[in-house]
Amino acid sequence: MKIVTIVGARPQFVKAAVLSRAINEYNKKMGDGVVEEVIVHTGQHFDENMSDVFFDQMDIPRPQYNLMINNLSHGAMTGMMLTKIEEVLQKECPDWVLVYGDTNSTLAGALAAKKMHIKVAHVEAGLRSFNMRMPEEINRVLTDRISDLLLCPTETAVSNLKEEGYDKLNNTIVQCGDVMYDAAIYYSKQATKPHGINENEQFVLSTIHRQENTDDGSKLASIFEALSEIAAKRKIILPLHPRTIKKIEQFNITPAKDIQIIEPVGYFEMIWLLSHCSCVVTDSGGLQKEAFFFKKPCITVREETEWVELIQHNVNFLTGSNKDQITRVFGELGDKNIDFDVNLYGEGNTGQIIVEELLAFQR
């Protein structure tokens, strides 16, 4: 069986590492060459700290193809990816195309495969924010609709698909757990302190990159006003995407001196930051879950989240970009009785389950 794996953005590299390791373990057990994986890097995230470092740290195979498509509008990027991925698929003739999450790379990979009648497996299927203004929501909904194997991380994701009628369509829905939980367990012992961080100082970990926040000057200013108030009480470590830095400069926002802005970090550095922080303030989808994995409360500066089970279990708190809401929730965290001892994302064997599902699939 040959699989073409499409990656392009930071979280997808981490997820791909889980599956690559599971494939290697399966091949060792059954004999080399049973499952062949060809990795295609679209180049969607092109910064050295946000791409190459992950392949190095995760010890996964270098991609056989690097399409180097980036810094374009959504339409131009997706269209160019579609063209280039189609060329790869014509050459490789895989049994499966494996896509992750909700990026332009995800949609382009799924669409190219489907038009060539190649089976598509979507990891993190069924997630919904129910906000069709988010490019990610459009990508995930369209990818789900053309996927053959819908690999859902949670009960909520399965329920979303069934409510949309997917159980009556020609596909297979599987609740397999979350690959990011596998990664957190496997790599936690390799956590590495980022350069320039004082490990004896308490801090809040924050990331801000979501387009709905960074492209709106008033929202971005409100978030940084809230961060400034929080930083007056507890230092904030803020790994910042280059694009967000440009937006801060564009909107003339001056971060408080107690907000320590650092360059984007690798996965092992992020694990260290999660392990040592007191809480997380983010608009990232993945970091909400990772905060839960490391038993840290999370304030999500968005109006909605795909990970509703975190809200339901009172470990994650939605505030939007409203400064008063963000600071109020932060001030109340110490009084909350937060219970992290609940199984939401599987047993840490999601990679193995996905490999078995790909091999067992019949249509």
Side-chain angles (χ1 to χ4, degrees):
M1 181 176 72
K2 179 186 280 190
I3 300 169
V4 166
T5 295
I6 308 293
V7 293
R10 182 192 80 88
Q12 293 170 332
F13 304 154
V14 181
K15 297 166 191 174
V18 172
L19 264 293
S20 294
R21 187 172 70 252
I23 289 169
N24 289 337
E25 290 173 356
Y26 183 86
N27 283 338
K28 288 178 182 178
K29 178 181 177 182
M30 303 302 294
D32 286 342
V34 176
V35 180
E36 178 186 358
E37 182 184 29
V38 176
I39 299 176
V40 178
H41 178 14
T42 65
Q44 183 169 340
H45 281 179
F46 57 94
D47 183 83
E48 171 70 21
N49 287 332
M50 300 191 70
S51 291
D52 288 349
V53 67
F54 287 99
F55 289 105
D56 294 336
Q57 289 186 334
M58 297 296 132
D59 193 26
I60 59 176
R62 286 282 174 176
Q64 286 90 329
Y65 298 90
N66 191 333
L67 307 183
M68 301 182 70
I69 301 169
N70 51 65
N71 201 28
L72 298 169
S73 68
H74 285 291
M77 180 183 293
T78 306
M80 188 173 292
M81 287 178 182
L82 180 60
T83 300
K84 296 298 183 182
I85 292 171
E86 185 179 72
E87 293 174 1
V88 172
L89 299 182
Q90 287 172 340
K91 180 178 179 181
E92 295 293 340
C93 300
D95 300 290
W96 284 99
V97 168
L98 188 62
V99 296
Y100 297 85
D102 52 23
T103 68
N104 292 337
S105 302
T106 309
L107 178 58
L111 189 56
K114 197 64 175 179
K115 284 182 173 290
M116 296 177 66
H117 308 292
I118 299 169
K119 295 190 294 292
V120 178
H122 184 200
V123 179
E124 290 191 339
L127 300 183
R128 296 291 184 268
S129 68
F130 302 102
N131 178 2
M132 290 299 289
R133 293 184 63 84
M134 291 175 59
E136 296 87 355
E137 183 78 352
I138 297 168
N139 290 339
R140 65 172 69 104
V141 169
L142 294 177
T143 300
D144 279 346
R145 184 60 186 85
I146 58 176
S147 293
D148 299 277
L149 183 57
L150 295 155
L151 297 160
C152 301
T154 63
E155 291 181 11
T156 302
V158 172
S159 297
N160 287 339
L161 292 177
K162 289 182 176 180
E163 288 176 8
E164 294 173 15
Y166 277 78
D167 54 340
K168 299 178 177 64
L169 300 177
N170 190 26
N171 54 48
T172 299
I173 301 171
V174 176
Q175 183 180 340
C176 58
D178 197 304
V179 289
M180 292 301 290
Y181 185 45
D182 290 32
I185 293 171
Y186 184 80
Y187 293 116
S188 59
K189 293 181 180 179
Q190 296 170 259
T192 304
K193 184 174 74 69
H195 178 72
I197 303 297
N198 182 356
E199 61 183 312
N200 297 316
E201 187 175 20
Q202 284 196 332
F203 65 90
V204 173
L205 172 62
S206 181
T207 68
I208 306 295
H209 76 275
R210 187 73 61 173
Q211 188 174 350
E212 64 192 84
N213 285 327
T214 60
D215 286 3
D216 186 317
S218 60
K219 285 186 176 181
L220 193 60
S222 180
I223 290 169
F224 269 88
E225 287 173 12
L227 292 178
S228 295
E229 285 197 20
I230 293 171
K233 302 173 183 176
R234 183 165 298 172
K235 184 174 183 175
I236 292 176
I237 305 294
L238 179 62
L240 212 53
H241 191 293
R243 184 178 181 277
T244 308
I245 292 176
K246 291 180 181 178
K247 290 294 181 179
I248 290 172
E249 294 171 351
Q250 176 184 332
F251 296 127
N252 296 316
I253 296 170
T254 303
K257 62 180 178 62
D258 287 321
I259 299 176
Q260 183 177 350
I261 295 176
I262 62 175
E263 293 184 353
V265 295
Y267 185 61
F268 296 154
E269 287 83 7
M270 184 59 76
I271 287 176
W272 188 93
L273 291 169
L274 283 163
S275 299
H276 289 78
C277 71
S278 59
C279 71
V280 175
V281 180
T282 188
D283 60 6
S284 164
L287 203 60
Q288 296 174 52
K289 288 184 304 176
E290 290 166 328
F292 173 76
F293 299 157
F294 289 93
K295 303 183 184 302
K296 301 300 168 70
C298 182
I299 299 171
T300 299
V301 291
R302 288 167 52 184
E303 300 299 332
E304 65 284 308
T305 178
E306 308 89 301
W307 307 106
V308 295
E309 59 278 349
L310 295 174
I311 305 298
Q312 293 166 350
H313 284 85
N314 295 312
V315 296
N316 187 7
F317 306 92
L318 282 178
T319 63
S321 59
N322 183 279
K323 183 198 77 168
D324 294 335
Q325 284 277 78
I326 297 168
T327 55
R328 178 185 62 79
V329 172
F330 176 78
E332 294 173 352
L333 285 180
D335 299 325
K336 294 183 182 294
N337 183 18
I338 300 177
D339 181 11
F340 292 97
D341 293 328
V342 57
N343 184 346
L344 299 177
Y345 298 108
E347 303 291 343
N349 62 341
T350 298
Q352 176 186 338
I353 292 172
I354 290 175
V355 171
E356 292 171 353
E357 290 291 340
L358 291 169
L359 288 162
F361 185 90
Q362 293 181 347
R363 173 64 62 78

